[in-house]
Amino acid sequence: MTALRPARLRATDLARLGTSGLRARPMRAILAALGISIGIATMVTVVGISASSQEQLLRQLDALGTNLLRVQPGDSLFGDKVKLPKAAADMVGRIDGVTNASQTGETGVTMRRNDLIPSGVSLGITVQASSLDLLDTLDGRIRTGTWLNAATERQPVVVLGAVAADRLGLSAPDVQVWIGNRWFTVIGILDRMPLAEEIERSALIGFPAAKDYLNHDGHPTTVYERSADESVESVRAMLARTVSPEKPNEAKVSRPSDALKAKAAAAGAFTGLMLGLGAVALFVGAVGVANTMVVAVLERRREIGLRRSFGATRGQVRSQFLVEAVLLSAFGGGAGVLLGSLATFAYARLNSLPAVVPMWALGGALGTTILIGALAGLYPALRAARVPPTVALTAQ
């Protein structure tokens, strides 16, 4: 006598069975999938916004260049502040690979809108002497007015950084400001300089004018240097020894672009925190899927018993409920990926950022959702398969 073998369910049959349970109770399925979609949308949005911000930062770095180095005086062995040589920029300019070298020197005097404002109210604006080629080195631009030249560097005139001008409430040149104990005429206002934010908060005058009108000693406090990309590291290794041959440890060399990279790292840490919150939301959604599937097993015990009495195996019943859970999570995950992507594009457009949603984030989010759906539906599926046909048929 030939033993009877149960019929095998094809993938299309399983999909049809899985969707039939969801179609029978659409509202419950929608609410369960909503929990998953909120978690996925949160994760995709956080990753997308972070990636868009970092892409904007990288584009700025590419435009500004990462080949700008800054040299500043450090402290002596006894903690005293050292001074850079007056010709520090010229010394740096003779290093092989250096294309531009400029310098600025803090004067130590305050700047005010007029002589009636107390000297202690400086608005955080630093008055600095500047070499004429500073804009070439920093790739800076004049927003309005003119830059210093060989004639004006000896006169009581000043060029304001973008932030300094904003703090003084100035938007155009040809006005006078009070520096030290005399009037200076504003001849220009600079554009923003992301790689030299200290210049944005400065009032810049020529070195000769700083000496004549403010008693500046001519020593620079910062030397800016640009070199060919392939020479950056070799130049960086020589800068301290060039400006301070006897005591190179008394000169500090930094790369301003490192600060922007640090901002990207800080944004990544914040992204990790937000991803944790998204994971919590995803876990809540998984609990909702599991609860929905458990309730479905309890409500459909008659259906399970009827299928079992017609020859359905435990494996087929288990597969049916497992497919339902996976489909439910996949629907929620797909909706979450779509909502998260739309939110990212909307945020990027409103903030003038390049919209970037990494493919690994989309694939990882959807894959994680399906995995969570399978795990959440595993127990209900096993429970449904263990219900005896006679018990299921007599259930109320």
Side-chain angles (χ1 to χ4, degrees), residues 224-247:
Y224 299 94
E225 173 276 330
R226 277 195 190 271
S227 53
D229 290 338
E230 62 274 11
S231 304
V232 171
E233 294 306 323
S234 60
V235 170
R236 188 176 191 177
M238 297 181 62
L239 282 176
R241 285 178 290 174
T242 299
V243 299
S244 183
E246 296 181 356
K247 299 177 181 179

PDB file of all heavy atoms in Angstrom, residues 224-247:
ATOM      1  N   TYR A 224      49.841  81.581   7.523  1.00  0.00           N
ATOM      2  CA  TYR A 224      49.018  80.694   6.713  1.00  0.00           C
ATOM      3  C   TYR A 224      49.825  80.257   5.500  1.00  0.00           C
ATOM      4  O   TYR A 224      50.514  81.070   4.869  1.00  0.00           O
ATOM      5  CB  TYR A 224      47.747  81.398   6.246  1.00  0.00           C
ATOM      6  CG  TYR A 224      46.852  81.863   7.375  1.00  0.00           C
ATOM      7  CD1 TYR A 224      46.947  83.169   7.870  1.00  0.00           C
ATOM      8  CD2 TYR A 224      45.924  81.010   7.946  1.00  0.00           C
ATOM      9  CE1 TYR A 224      46.133  83.602   8.895  1.00  0.00           C
ATOM     10  CE2 TYR A 224      45.101  81.435   8.980  1.00  0.00           C
ATOM     11  CZ  TYR A 224      45.211  82.732   9.446  1.00  0.00           C
ATOM     12  OH  TYR A 224      44.409  83.151  10.476  1.00  0.00           O
ATOM     13  N   GLU A 225      49.733  78.992   5.173  1.00  0.00           N
ATOM     14  CA  GLU A 225      50.535  78.438   4.068  1.00  0.00           C
ATOM     15  C   GLU A 225      49.714  77.473   3.245  1.00  0.00           C
ATOM     16  O   GLU A 225      48.951  76.672   3.783  1.00  0.00           O
ATOM     17  CB  GLU A 225      51.761  77.738   4.656  1.00  0.00           C
ATOM     18  CG  GLU A 225      52.599  76.970   3.648  1.00  0.00           C
ATOM     19  CD  GLU A 225      52.065  75.559   3.379  1.00  0.00           C
ATOM     20  OE1 GLU A 225      51.458  74.975   4.310  1.00  0.00           O
ATOM     21  OE2 GLU A 225      52.245  75.058   2.248  1.00  0.00           O
ATOM     22  N   ARG A 226      49.850  77.587   1.933  1.00  0.00           N
ATOM     23  CA  ARG A 226      49.254  76.604   1.018  1.00  0.00           C
ATOM     24  C   ARG A 226      50.362  75.966   0.196  1.00  0.00           C
ATOM     25  O   ARG A 226      51.311  76.636  -0.214  1.00  0.00           O
ATOM     26  CB  ARG A 226      48.228  77.240   0.082  1.00  0.00           C
ATOM     27  CG  ARG A 226      46.840  77.400   0.688  1.00  0.00           C
ATOM     28  CD  ARG A 226      45.809  77.676  -0.367  1.00  0.00           C
ATOM     29  NE  ARG A 226      44.535  78.060   0.194  1.00  0.00           N
ATOM     30  CZ  ARG A 226      43.575  77.199   0.531  1.00  0.00           C
ATOM     31  NH1 ARG A 226      43.772  75.910   0.359  1.00  0.00           N
ATOM     32  NH2 ARG A 226      42.441  77.625   1.026  1.00  0.00           N
ATOM     33  N   SER A 227      50.189  74.662  -0.035  1.00  0.00           N
ATOM     34  CA  SER A 227      51.187  73.943  -0.832  1.00  0.00           C
ATOM     35  C   SER A 227      50.473  73.004  -1.784  1.00  0.00           C
ATOM     36  O   SER A 227      49.261  72.805  -1.694  1.00  0.00           O
ATOM     37  CB  SER A 227      52.124  73.149   0.089  1.00  0.00           C
ATOM     38  OG  SER A 227      51.381  72.321   0.958  1.00  0.00           O
ATOM     39  N   ALA A 228      51.213  72.418  -2.689  1.00  0.00           N
ATOM     40  CA  ALA A 228      50.639  71.415  -3.587  1.00  0.00           C
ATOM     41  C   ALA A 228      50.145  70.233  -2.760  1.00  0.00           C
ATOM     42  O   ALA A 228      50.722  69.899  -1.720  1.00  0.00           O
ATOM     43  CB  ALA A 228      51.684  70.966  -4.594  1.00  0.00           C
ATOM     44  N   ASP A 229      49.070  69.620  -3.208  1.00  0.00           N
ATOM     45  CA  ASP A 229      48.453  68.528  -2.441  1.00  0.00           C
ATOM     46  C   ASP A 229      49.453  67.426  -2.104  1.00  0.00           C
ATOM     47  O   ASP A 229      49.452  66.900  -0.991  1.00  0.00           O
ATOM     48  CB  ASP A 229      47.270  67.939  -3.219  1.00  0.00           C
ATOM     49  CG  ASP A 229      46.094  68.900  -3.284  1.00  0.00           C
ATOM     50  OD1 ASP A 229      46.018  69.791  -2.419  1.00  0.00           O
ATOM     51  OD2 ASP A 229      45.266  68.770  -4.201  1.00  0.00           O
ATOM     52  N   GLU A 230      50.296  67.094  -3.059  1.00  0.00           N
ATOM     53  CA  GLU A 230      51.245  66.001  -2.829  1.00  0.00           C
ATOM     54  C   GLU A 230      52.378  66.406  -1.894  1.00  0.00           C
ATOM     55  O   GLU A 230      53.148  65.548  -1.430  1.00  0.00           O
ATOM     56  CB  GLU A 230      51.828  65.511  -4.156  1.00  0.00           C
ATOM     57  CG  GLU A 230      52.626  66.549  -4.928  1.00  0.00           C
ATOM     58  CD  GLU A 230      51.760  67.416  -5.825  1.00  0.00           C
ATOM     59  OE1 GLU A 230      50.516  67.348  -5.700  1.00  0.00           O
ATOM     60  OE2 GLU A 230      52.337  68.150  -6.657  1.00  0.00           O
ATOM     61  N   SER A 231      52.490  67.707  -1.586  1.00  0.00           N
ATOM     62  CA  SER A 231      53.587  68.176  -0.728  1.00  0.00           C
ATOM     63  C   SER A 231      53.135  68.537   0.685  1.00  0.00           C
ATOM     64  O   SER A 231      53.949  68.969   1.501  1.00  0.00           O
ATOM     65  CB  SER A 231      54.256  69.405  -1.365  1.00  0.00           C
ATOM     66  OG  SER A 231      54.708  69.121  -2.664  1.00  0.00           O
ATOM     67  N   VAL A 232      51.840  68.396   0.970  1.00  0.00           N
ATOM     68  CA  VAL A 232      51.307  68.872   2.250  1.00  0.00           C
ATOM     69  C   VAL A 232      52.039  68.260   3.433  1.00  0.00           C
ATOM     70  O   VAL A 232      52.485  68.963   4.352  1.00  0.00           O
ATOM     71  CB  VAL A 232      49.791  68.584   2.346  1.00  0.00           C
ATOM     72  CG1 VAL A 232      49.290  68.865   3.759  1.00  0.00           C
ATOM     73  CG2 VAL A 232      49.037  69.426   1.343  1.00  0.00           C
ATOM     74  N   GLU A 233      52.190  66.942   3.451  1.00  0.00           N
ATOM     75  CA  GLU A 233      52.783  66.278   4.611  1.00  0.00           C
ATOM     76  C   GLU A 233      54.266  66.616   4.755  1.00  0.00           C
ATOM     77  O   GLU A 233      54.763  66.816   5.867  1.00  0.00           O
ATOM     78  CB  GLU A 233      52.582  64.764   4.513  1.00  0.00           C
ATOM     79  CG  GLU A 233      51.128  64.334   4.606  1.00  0.00           C
ATOM     80  CD  GLU A 233      50.430  64.862   5.842  1.00  0.00           C
ATOM     81  OE1 GLU A 233      51.077  64.933   6.913  1.00  0.00           O
ATOM     82  OE2 GLU A 233      49.242  65.221   5.745  1.00  0.00           O
ATOM     83  N   SER A 234      54.985  66.683   3.644  1.00  0.00           N
ATOM     84  CA  SER A 234      56.410  67.019   3.731  1.00  0.00           C
ATOM     85  C   SER A 234      56.603  68.457   4.188  1.00  0.00           C
ATOM     86  O   SER A 234      57.501  68.762   4.993  1.00  0.00           O
ATOM     87  CB  SER A 234      57.094  66.794   2.380  1.00  0.00           C
ATOM     88  OG  SER A 234      56.515  67.608   1.376  1.00  0.00           O
ATOM     89  N   VAL A 235      55.754  69.364   3.700  1.00  0.00           N
ATOM     90  CA  VAL A 235      55.832  70.756   4.135  1.00  0.00           C
ATOM     91  C   VAL A 235      55.460  70.873   5.606  1.00  0.00           C
ATOM     92  O   VAL A 235      56.104  71.604   6.375  1.00  0.00           O
ATOM     93  CB  VAL A 235      54.916  71.640   3.270  1.00  0.00           C
ATOM     94  CG1 VAL A 235      54.802  73.040   3.862  1.00  0.00           C
ATOM     95  CG2 VAL A 235      55.431  71.723   1.841  1.00  0.00           C
ATOM     96  N   ARG A 236      54.441  70.148   5.993  1.00  0.00           N
ATOM     97  CA  ARG A 236      53.996  70.197   7.388  1.00  0.00           C
ATOM     98  C   ARG A 236      55.113  69.782   8.335  1.00  0.00           C
ATOM     99  O   ARG A 236      55.263  70.357   9.426  1.00  0.00           O
ATOM    100  CB  ARG A 236      52.780  69.292   7.561  1.00  0.00           C
ATOM    101  CG  ARG A 236      52.097  69.409   8.914  1.00  0.00           C
ATOM    102  CD  ARG A 236      50.847  68.558   8.958  1.00  0.00           C
ATOM    103  NE  ARG A 236      50.042  68.836  10.130  1.00  0.00           N
ATOM    104  CZ  ARG A 236      48.872  68.267  10.391  1.00  0.00           C
ATOM    105  NH1 ARG A 236      48.361  67.387   9.547  1.00  0.00           N
ATOM    106  NH2 ARG A 236      48.207  68.581  11.486  1.00  0.00           N
ATOM    107  N   ALA A 237      55.912  68.812   7.928  1.00  0.00           N
ATOM    108  CA  ALA A 237      57.002  68.335   8.783  1.00  0.00           C
ATOM    109  C   ALA A 237      58.110  69.363   8.920  1.00  0.00           C
ATOM    110  O   ALA A 237      58.889  69.321   9.887  1.00  0.00           O
ATOM    111  CB  ALA A 237      57.558  67.039   8.216  1.00  0.00           C
ATOM    112  N   MET A 238      58.201  70.322   7.976  1.00  0.00           N
ATOM    113  CA  MET A 238      59.297  71.286   7.989  1.00  0.00           C
ATOM    114  C   MET A 238      58.899  72.648   8.542  1.00  0.00           C
ATOM    115  O   MET A 238      59.773  73.480   8.826  1.00  0.00           O
ATOM    116  CB  MET A 238      59.835  71.463   6.559  1.00  0.00           C
ATOM    117  CG  MET A 238      60.433  70.214   5.948  1.00  0.00           C
ATOM    118  SD  MET A 238      61.056  70.521   4.282  1.00  0.00           S
ATOM    119  CE  MET A 238      62.324  71.747   4.610  1.00  0.00           C
ATOM    120  N   LEU A 239      57.609  72.904   8.705  1.00  0.00           N
ATOM    121  CA  LEU A 239      57.170  74.246   9.074  1.00  0.00           C
ATOM    122  C   LEU A 239      57.728  74.697  10.420  1.00  0.00           C
ATOM    123  O   LEU A 239      58.247  75.820  10.546  1.00  0.00           O
ATOM    124  CB  LEU A 239      55.641  74.309   9.092  1.00  0.00           C
ATOM    125  CG  LEU A 239      54.969  74.413   7.728  1.00  0.00           C
ATOM    126  CD1 LEU A 239      53.457  74.360   7.867  1.00  0.00           C
ATOM    127  CD2 LEU A 239      55.375  75.710   7.041  1.00  0.00           C
ATOM    128  N   ALA A 240      57.591  73.870  11.445  1.00  0.00           N
ATOM    129  CA  ALA A 240      58.046  74.274  12.779  1.00  0.00           C
ATOM    130  C   ALA A 240      59.537  74.556  12.787  1.00  0.00           C
ATOM    131  O   ALA A 240      60.007  75.548  13.371  1.00  0.00           O
ATOM    132  CB  ALA A 240      57.693  73.196  13.793  1.00  0.00           C
ATOM    133  N   ARG A 241      60.327  73.720  12.115  1.00  0.00           N
ATOM    134  CA  ARG A 241      61.781  73.912  12.084  1.00  0.00           C
ATOM    135  C   ARG A 241      62.172  75.126  11.246  1.00  0.00           C
ATOM    136  O   ARG A 241      63.240  75.709  11.443  1.00  0.00           O
ATOM    137  CB  ARG A 241      62.451  72.655  11.521  1.00  0.00           C
ATOM    138  CG  ARG A 241      62.492  71.490  12.509  1.00  0.00           C
ATOM    139  CD  ARG A 241      63.112  70.271  11.879  1.00  0.00           C
ATOM    140  NE  ARG A 241      62.250  69.685  10.863  1.00  0.00           N
ATOM    141  CZ  ARG A 241      62.600  68.675  10.079  1.00  0.00           C
ATOM    142  NH1 ARG A 241      63.824  68.159  10.173  1.00  0.00           N
ATOM    143  NH2 ARG A 241      61.757  68.188   9.200  1.00  0.00           N
ATOM    144  N   THR A 242      61.286  75.513  10.325  1.00  0.00           N
ATOM    145  CA  THR A 242      61.596  76.668   9.488  1.00  0.00           C
ATOM    146  C   THR A 242      61.390  77.979  10.244  1.00  0.00           C
ATOM    147  O   THR A 242      62.233  78.874  10.201  1.00  0.00           O
ATOM    148  CB  THR A 242      60.717  76.655   8.223  1.00  0.00           C
ATOM    149  OG1 THR A 242      60.980  75.461   7.481  1.00  0.00           O
ATOM    150  CG2 THR A 242      60.999  77.873   7.346  1.00  0.00           C
ATOM    151  N   VAL A 243      60.262  78.111  10.938  1.00  0.00           N
ATOM    152  CA  VAL A 243      59.971  79.374  11.629  1.00  0.00           C
ATOM    153  C   VAL A 243      60.681  79.453  12.983  1.00  0.00           C
ATOM    154  O   VAL A 243      60.848  80.544  13.538  1.00  0.00           O
ATOM    155  CB  VAL A 243      58.452  79.556  11.821  1.00  0.00           C
ATOM    156  CG1 VAL A 243      57.744  79.611  10.478  1.00  0.00           C
ATOM    157  CG2 VAL A 243      57.862  78.458  12.684  1.00  0.00           C
ATOM    158  N   SER A 244      61.087  78.306  13.520  1.00  0.00           N
ATOM    159  CA  SER A 244      61.802  78.304  14.800  1.00  0.00           C
ATOM    160  C   SER A 244      62.898  77.241  14.754  1.00  0.00           C
ATOM    161  O   SER A 244      62.764  76.165  15.350  1.00  0.00           O
ATOM    162  CB  SER A 244      60.828  78.033  15.953  1.00  0.00           C
ATOM    163  OG  SER A 244      61.483  78.089  17.193  1.00  0.00           O
ATOM    164  N   PRO A 245      63.999  77.523  14.035  1.00  0.00           N
ATOM    165  CA  PRO A 245      65.038  76.507  13.831  1.00  0.00           C
ATOM    166  C   PRO A 245      65.650  75.982  15.126  1.00  0.00           C
ATOM    167  O   PRO A 245      65.946  74.792  15.228  1.00  0.00           O
ATOM    168  CB  PRO A 245      66.086  77.251  12.986  1.00  0.00           C
ATOM    169  CG  PRO A 245      65.352  78.389  12.368  1.00  0.00           C
ATOM    170  CD  PRO A 245      64.318  78.787  13.366  1.00  0.00           C
ATOM    171  N   GLU A 246      65.842  76.861  16.108  1.00  0.00           N
ATOM    172  CA  GLU A 246      66.494  76.437  17.340  1.00  0.00           C
ATOM    173  C   GLU A 246      65.561  75.655  18.252  1.00  0.00           C
ATOM    174  O   GLU A 246      65.980  74.717  18.925  1.00  0.00           O
ATOM    175  CB  GLU A 246      67.049  77.658  18.081  1.00  0.00           C
ATOM    176  CG  GLU A 246      68.145  78.384  17.323  1.00  0.00           C
ATOM    177  CD  GLU A 246      68.679  79.571  18.101  1.00  0.00           C
ATOM    178  OE1 GLU A 246      68.140  79.853  19.193  1.00  0.00           O
ATOM    179  OE2 GLU A 246      69.624  80.212  17.617  1.00  0.00           O
ATOM    180  N   LYS A 247      64.294  76.047  18.280  1.00  0.00           N
ATOM    181  CA  LYS A 247      63.328  75.404  19.172  1.00  0.00           C
ATOM    182  C   LYS A 247      62.025  75.123  18.413  1.00  0.00           C
ATOM    183  O   LYS A 247      61.024  75.818  18.589  1.00  0.00           O
ATOM    184  CB  LYS A 247      63.042  76.279  20.390  1.00  0.00           C
ATOM    185  CG  LYS A 247      64.290  76.557  21.230  1.00  0.00           C
ATOM    186  CD  LYS A 247      63.961  77.487  22.378  1.00  0.00           C
ATOM    187  CE  LYS A 247      65.223  77.782  23.203  1.00  0.00           C
ATOM    188  NZ  LYS A 247      64.928  78.714  24.326  1.00  0.00           N
TER     189      LYS A 247
END
